[in-house]
Amino acid sequence: QAQLVESGGGFVQAGGSLRLSCRKPGMILSTFWSTTMNWYRQGPGKERELVASLTTARTTNYEDSVKGRFTISTDNAKKTVYLQMNSLKPEDTAVYYCNMIDSRGLHYWGQGTQVTVSS
């Protein structure tokens, strides 16, 4: 059962953009600040891979193939993490999963949202 609520996936042509959103219902702000946030994806026939991370120090890390195209960010007022995806390529087609790791090391996952990029 998914503990995080994701939205924003869809179908887009190559070169287009999408923004994914993820939040944990009921999360308080202090917990939000002390949580590591990640976006993973799993393409057809592929292993799940880490795409973007936002640490508790609010530093970011990206998988090489998405650097310069994807941006992970947060809206503290909404306690929501986003993945802005620009210049999308067909190889970005995947199910994207939001993951949060709280200060106790507990993992929370979203239900996954499909992103399909046509050539």
Side-chain angles (χ1 to χ4, degrees):
Q1 183 178 357
Q3 302 108 331
L4 305 179
V5 178
E6 296 183 37
S7 62
F11 183 94
V12 65
Q13 291 188 331
S17 298
L18 286 172
R19 188 178 75 162
L20 308 182
S21 302
C22 172
R23 62 181 180 85
K24 185 177 185 296
M27 177 179 273
I28 62 175
L29 188 58
S30 59
T31 302
F32 186 75
W33 273 106
S34 62
T35 297
T36 297
M37 303 187 187
N38 302 306
W39 285 98
Y40 286 79
R41 69 183 178 187
Q42 187 166 15
K46 298 181 180 180
E47 297 288 323
R48 188 174 296 191
E49 64 176 351
L50 179 61
V51 173
S53 293
L54 184 68
T55 69
T56 54
R58 291 306 182 245
T59 58
T60 58
N61 295 285
Y62 298 95
E63 193 270 330
D64 285 346
S65 70
V66 308
K67 285 180 181 177
R69 300 189 297 123
F70 289 12
T71 303
I72 186 170
S73 64
T74 59
D75 182 326
N76 296 327
K78 296 181 179 180
K79 289 169 280 183
T80 298
V81 59
Y82 301 100
L83 184 67
Q84 178 67 44
M85 305 184 293
N86 298 328
S87 303
L88 282 161
K89 304 175 181 181
E91 51 264 42
D92 294 318
T93 295
V95 178
Y96 284 72
Y97 296 91
C98 180
N99 166 253
M100 293 186 184
I101 309 171
D102 71 13
S103 60
R104 299 167 294 173
L106 296 178
H107 284 250
Y108 303 91
W109 289 92
Q111 78 278 12
T113 187
Q114 177 70 45
V115 171
T116 303
V117 185
S118 68
S119 58

